[in-house]
Amino acid sequence: MPLEQEVLEGRQEIHTDAYSMSIGEIVNLYRDGELEIHPEFQREFRWKLSQKSRLIESILLGIPLPSIFVAQRNDGVWDVVDGLQRISTILSFMGELLDESGCKVEQLVLEKTPYLPSLEGVSWDNGMPDDLKRAFKREKFDVKIIKKESDENAKFELFQRLNTGGAGLSEQEVRNCLLLMVNRKSYEWLKERSKNENFINCLNLTDRLIDEKYEMELVLRFICIVKYDKSAPIDDEDMGPFLTTQMKRLMVDNDFAFENETKLFDTTFNILARLKGEDAFRRYSQPKQKHEGQFSVSLFECISAGVAFAIQQGQTEVEISSKLSTLVVTLADNPNFNEATKHGMRGINRLPKLVDLARELFR
C-alpha cells in the first residue's frame, strides 16, 4: 500500500478537535461530572510536593503548560488521556478533588518554590489572595479532544504513546486505564482477582512492583497464558504489547466468561496457596533443600498455567496436588524449563515453550 494511502486511512481512524479552556472552565466540567479523571488513577502520590508546587508556581507566573488530551465517550463525558497529574494537582489545590468514595480530598498545602518562596504553607483557602485566585482560574490550557467517532484501537494507541516511558505510568497502569475507559466491568474483575487472598499469599513482590500494580499484570498474564492459542500468530515483538493486545481481544468484548474464569482462577490459587504459599513461585535450591530468592515470573507462568490446565482437564485436587508437590522443587532443574528461560530469552519467545511444558507436566 502506498505511503499516502496508509496516511489517509490512519487519519480517518482518529477524529480530533481542540479548545483553549480556562482552569475555571475545566473545574466546572469536573464538578458537573463531564470530565472524568478516574480517582483510581489520580496517582498524585507519584508526584512529590515539590513537583505539585512547581506546577502551581508555573500557572501563577503565566508559564505556558503542555496540552491536555481527553477522549470523548459515547455519553459525551471526557476521559482524561494525558494531563491527569496536572489536573488532579490543580483540583487538589483548589479543594475540588474527589476520592474514590466521592469525598473531597484535603486541600493541597504548597511549599516554597525557586521563584515564589512565599508559597510556603499557602493553600487555596489560607494565604491565597483573591486577585491571584481569579487570575489562576483564568489561566488556560489547550485541550485536545479525541472524538467519540474515533476508532477504539486508535484511542488505545494514543493513550499508550502519551503515557509510557519516562516517569509516567507503568505498562499495567496504562492497561488498567485503557480497560477502565472502555470496559469497567472487566477492569473491576481484574482488580478484584488481584486482591484474592490466596493469590496474594502465593506472591512475594517488592513494594515497587505492588506500587506499579504488577499483581494485576500477573492476573492478566495468567488469563492470557491459559487462553494462549499456538495456532494464532503473534504480531507483537515483546511481552508487554502482547499482554495489551490480548487484553483487548479477551476482555474488552462482552464475551468474556466472568463466572467461569473466576472459578478457574480461584481454584488454581486455592490449591497453590494451600500447598506452597509464598514459596509457590520461588526457586528451590536442591543443595540447601529450601526455596530462596524472589518471585519468579517464569515459574509463575509455567506452574499456574499447568494447574489451570489440569483443572480444565477434570483432574481432582488430590491428583493436581500430588504432581505439584514434586514439581515446585524440581522445575528449576528441568532442562526444558531452563532452555525456555535461559538468559536473553524474551518473554514473548518464552511463552509458547512454557505453555507446552506446563501442559506436558500436568498431563
Side-chain angles (χ1 to χ4, degrees):
M1 180 185 296
L3 177 60
E4 292 87 348
Q5 184 64 28
E6 291 178 353
V7 171
L8 178 61
E9 291 185 6
R11 284 179 174 269
Q12 290 175 345
E13 292 180 356
I14 303 179
H15 301 266
T16 62
D17 205 342
Y19 298 121
S20 180
M21 301 187 70
S22 70
I23 287 176
E25 289 174 308
I26 292 172
V27 171
N28 287 336
L29 286 174
Y30 178 74
R31 283 177 182 159
D32 294 340
E34 297 178 19
L35 179 74
E36 177 64 77
I37 64 173
H38 297 295
E40 301 92 333
F41 301 105
Q42 286 163 9
R43 295 175 66 256
E44 59 178 340
F45 56 85
R46 290 291 182 90
W47 266 22
K48 298 177 181 178
L49 179 59
S50 59
Q51 293 173 290
K52 298 175 186 179
S53 298
R54 287 292 295 269
L55 174 67
I56 303 303
E57 175 194 55
S58 296
I59 295 171
L60 290 170
L61 294 176
I63 296 173
L65 299 172
S67 299
I68 292 171
F69 286 78
V70 299
Q72 184 177 348
R73 301 191 319 221
N74 289 332
D75 61 4
V77 173
W78 288 352
D79 277 315
V80 176
V81 173
D82 185 60
L84 184 147
Q85 291 169 322
R86 279 168 280 153
I87 292 178
S88 61
T89 296
I90 290 168
L91 291 169
S92 176
F93 176 58
M94 296 176 68
E96 299 290 347
L97 184 64
L98 304 179
D99 62 19
E100 291 187 54
S101 62
C103 299
K104 283 192 175 182
V105 175
E106 187 175 349
Q107 279 189 11
L108 174 65
V109 179
L110 304 175
E111 66 179 24
K112 65 181 180 181
T113 59
Y115 290 101
L116 300 176
S118 295
L119 284 179
E120 180 73 37
V122 170
S123 67
W124 187 258
D125 291 336
N126 185 15
M128 186 74 169
D130 288 341
D131 58 337
L132 289 183
K133 287 183 180 180
R134 286 189 287 269
F136 186 89
K137 289 189 288 186
R138 290 169 183 163
E139 287 295 325
K140 293 187 175 183
F141 280 95
D142 285 330
V143 180
K144 309 293 187 183
I145 305 149
I146 310 153
K147 303 184 78 172
K148 63 182 179 181
E149 295 85 2
S150 298
D151 178 71
E152 286 295 345
N153 288 328
K155 292 181 182 180
F156 267 69
E157 178 69 18
L158 180 58
F159 189 93
Q160 287 179 279
R161 292 189 186 197
L162 291 169
N163 287 280
T164 51
L169 298 157
S170 70
E171 286 190 358
Q172 187 56 39
E173 286 171 314
V174 171
R175 294 186 199 104
N176 290 346
C177 289
L178 294 171
L179 197 56
L180 181 66
M181 286 192 291
V182 298
N183 194 317
R184 178 178 285 272
K185 183 178 180 180
S186 290
Y187 164 76
E188 294 292 350
W189 184 90
L190 196 69
K191 182 179 179 181
E192 188 64 27
R193 299 283 72 71
S194 74
K195 294 180 178 180
N196 178 289
E197 185 175 355
N198 289 322
F199 173 70
I200 293 297
N201 288 341
C202 290
L203 308 180
N204 186 24
L205 302 181
T206 64
D207 290 340
R208 179 184 64 82
L209 290 176
I210 293 172
D211 193 38
E212 294 176 355
K213 305 301 180 186
Y214 189 60
E215 70 277 15
M216 293 183 73
E217 177 175 313
L218 292 176
V219 178
L220 180 61
R221 279 180 185 258
F222 173 79
I223 294 297
C224 291
I225 292 170
V226 170
K227 292 186 170 297
Y228 176 67
D229 181 4
K230 286 190 66 175
S231 65
I234 297 178
D235 296 326
D236 300 296
E237 297 181 355
D238 210 344
M239 196 65 180
F242 170 78
L243 290 174
T244 302
T245 299
Q246 295 306 303
M247 182 190 74
K248 289 190 289 183
R249 183 178 70 84
L250 296 170
M251 303 189 71
V252 170
D253 294 333
N254 295 321
D255 295 333
F256 190 73
F258 291 99
E259 185 175 345
N260 292 339
E261 300 303 337
T262 297
K263 183 178 180 181
L264 178 62
F265 182 91
D266 290 352
T267 304
T268 296
F269 289 97
N270 176 48
I271 294 173
L272 285 163
R274 188 174 66 250
L275 187 67
K276 295 302 295 183
E278 67 175 15
D279 288 333
F281 309 120
R282 298 170 68 204
R283 287 182 176 269
Y284 186 83
S285 170
Q286 294 289 356
K288 297 180 181 179
Q289 294 290 293
K290 68 176 184 179
H291 292 271
E292 60 183 7
Q294 299 297 316
F295 168 87
S296 166
V297 68
S298 298
L299 289 175
F300 172 85
E301 291 171 343
C302 188
I303 293 174
S304 66
V307 172
F309 293 149
I311 293 170
Q312 291 175 321
Q313 292 165 10
Q315 296 182 31
T316 67
E317 290 194 18
V318 173
E319 292 174 317
I320 296 170
S321 296
S322 176
K323 296 175 183 178
L324 188 59
S325 61
T326 300
L327 184 61
V328 292
V329 299
T330 61
L331 184 57
D333 294 322
N334 184 295
N336 291 329
F337 178 80
N338 288 327
E339 173 63 24
T341 60
K342 64 184 179 182
H343 182 71
M345 178 72 70
R346 294 192 305 167
I348 198 68
N349 297 327
R350 179 181 72 222
L351 178 63
K353 298 177 185 295
L354 289 185
V355 169
D356 284 345
L357 182 58
R359 292 186 182 278
E360 176 187 335
L361 293 172
F362 282 88
R363 188 163 43 203

